[in-house]
Amino acid sequence: MSLKGKIISGYLVIGLIYALYSWLFSTYYSHAGFFYNLGRGLMWPAAMFPAFGAFIGGILLVIIACAFALNRR
């Protein structure tokens, strides 16, 4: 297995563990379904570190704005 595969597998395993923990033991998200928590688990860095989530959102906003600006001809 390559390093890229190990990193992706590790990320997904951490996301699955985070989703299971949120679904079973969290006081805020245990009422939500498993697939809601799985979606949160796949974005676990943004869920665990809210400032990082805002940073990712800002970068995506800039990328989308640049794509619209460069696509207009």
Side-chain angles (χ1 to χ4, degrees), residues 1-65:
M1 182 182 269
S2 67
L3 179 62
K4 181 180 176 182
K6 289 179 183 178
I7 291 173
I8 291 172
S9 297
Y11 182 87
L12 292 176
V13 166
I14 291 171
L16 182 63
I17 291 170
Y18 186 83
L20 287 171
Y21 177 80
S22 294
W23 182 49
L24 295 173
F25 303 113
S26 174
T27 57
Y28 299 110
Y29 298 104
S30 62
H31 69 280
F34 174 73
F35 288 105
Y36 175 82
N37 285 305
L38 185 60
R40 286 187 71 242
L42 291 178
M43 293 300 296
W44 65 266
M48 288 181 72
F49 309 107
F52 185 66
F55 175 72
I56 292 172
I59 288 178
L60 286 175
L61 185 63
V62 168
I63 290 172
I64 291 170

